[in-house]
Amino acid sequence: MSESLPVVYLARHGETAWSLSGQHTGLTDLPLTDRGESNARRLGERLKGLSFAKVFTSPLQRARRTCELAGFGDRAELDRDLVEWNYGEYEGKRTEEIRAKRPDWQLFRDGCPGGESPDQIGARADRVVKRIREVQGNVLVFSSGHILRVLTARWLGLEPVAGQYFLLSTASLSALGYEHSLSQPVIKLWNDTNHVGS
């Protein structure tokens, strides 16, 4: 029975200048670095042999380009709900900079002034989960770290704040699925980066 249950693969985009520097990159539409492009191709190698009923990607170029380089650009559907967290006033800032003014700030609990709250990004993640669960078969999703972490929390029936526990590296591959039945969502694979270069 469990062999026939669908699997949802989550691919985080490859490296960008800001993911490298630790700056919060929400709606700023940055390209991949050369290393990011190379690792996106390696992600494609990692996905070879797997079949997908649907492929979804964030419209931001870092996710779209990762999708293309991995070999799925021609069949991917753009999904605006997969856009990264809107960091508002914290866009482009590092966590240390934010905590210099707000020492107890936590993204997944507090959200961002002028940007999205955890409930708002949680609502977007819920819409994505609903769409994914309507697909018959495996699904592949390309997006950014924080939205994928919230999506995972919501997949498991947890509050958006639980996304804080699911660290994701660039160009990583993760998989969500079920144990025994569709009423038992689980994490099958998390933050696999064995395919990327050092």
Side-chain angles (χ1 to χ4, degrees), residues 51-97:
S51 60
F52 303 100
K54 289 271 191 182
V55 179
F56 298 107
T57 184
S58 160
L60 294 175
Q61 68 172 315
R62 57 190 183 269
R64 237 182 34 246
R65 183 70 174 145
T66 300
C67 177
E68 289 165 7
L69 291 170
F72 296 92
D74 58 338
R75 50 182 302 218
E77 298 177 29
L78 298 182
D79 187 338
R80 290 215 52 81
D81 284 328
L82 286 171
V83 168
E84 180 59 301
W85 200 311
N86 179 349
Y87 300 119
E89 294 173 25
Y90 294 162
E91 182 75 9
K93 296 197 182 312
R94 294 176 185 84
T95 299
E96 312 81 68
E97 294 175 75

Side-chain angles (χ1 to χ4, degrees), residues 9-140:
Y9 290 87
L10 306 178
R12 185 179 172 203
H13 64 76
E15 177 188 275
T16 67
W18 282 13
S19 68
L20 195 57
S21 64
Q23 292 169 264
H24 283 85
T25 319
L27 305 182
T28 303
D29 205 7
L30 295 178
L32 299 177
T33 62
D34 289 344
R35 180 171 182 241
E37 293 217 348
S38 172
N39 286 343
R41 287 186 194 92
R42 287 192 176 109
L43 179 60
E45 291 294 319
R46 172 70 175 77
L47 291 164
K48 270 205 166 81
L50 298 175
S51 60
F52 303 100
K54 289 271 191 182
V55 179
F56 298 107
T57 184
S58 160
L60 294 175
Q61 68 172 315
R62 57 190 183 269
R64 237 182 34 246
R65 183 70 174 145
T66 300
C67 177
E68 289 165 7
L69 291 170
F72 296 92
D74 58 338
R75 50 182 302 218
E77 298 177 29
L78 298 182
D79 187 338
R80 290 215 52 81
D81 284 328
L82 286 171
V83 168
E84 180 59 301
W85 200 311
N86 179 349
Y87 300 119
E89 294 173 25
Y90 294 162
E91 182 75 9
K93 296 197 182 312
R94 294 176 185 84
T95 299
E96 312 81 68
E97 294 175 75
I98 299 165
R99 288 191 176 153
K101 295 180 180 172
R102 279 183 73 184
D104 65 340
W105 177 75
Q106 292 179 22
L107 172 65
F108 292 93
R109 182 193 66 203
D110 303 325
C112 303
E116 282 180 296
S117 70
D119 285 344
Q120 288 171 315
I121 194 169
R124 284 203 285 120
D126 286 347
R127 291 193 295 270
V128 175
V129 168
K130 182 177 185 296
R131 277 193 287 279
I132 287 171
R133 287 191 167 144
E134 290 169 353
V135 175
Q136 300 292 310
N138 296 343
V139 173
L140 175 59

Side-chain angles (χ1 to χ4, degrees), residues 153-187:
R154 299 304 297 144
W155 177 267
L156 298 171
L158 304 173
E159 292 302 312
V161 69
Q164 70 185 317
Y165 300 115
F166 305 118
L167 187 66
L168 277 177
S169 302
T170 54
S172 63
L173 185 66
S174 301
L176 308 176
Y178 303 93
E179 183 178 23
H180 306 304
S181 74
L182 297 177
S183 65
Q184 295 177 284
V186 296
I187 295 173

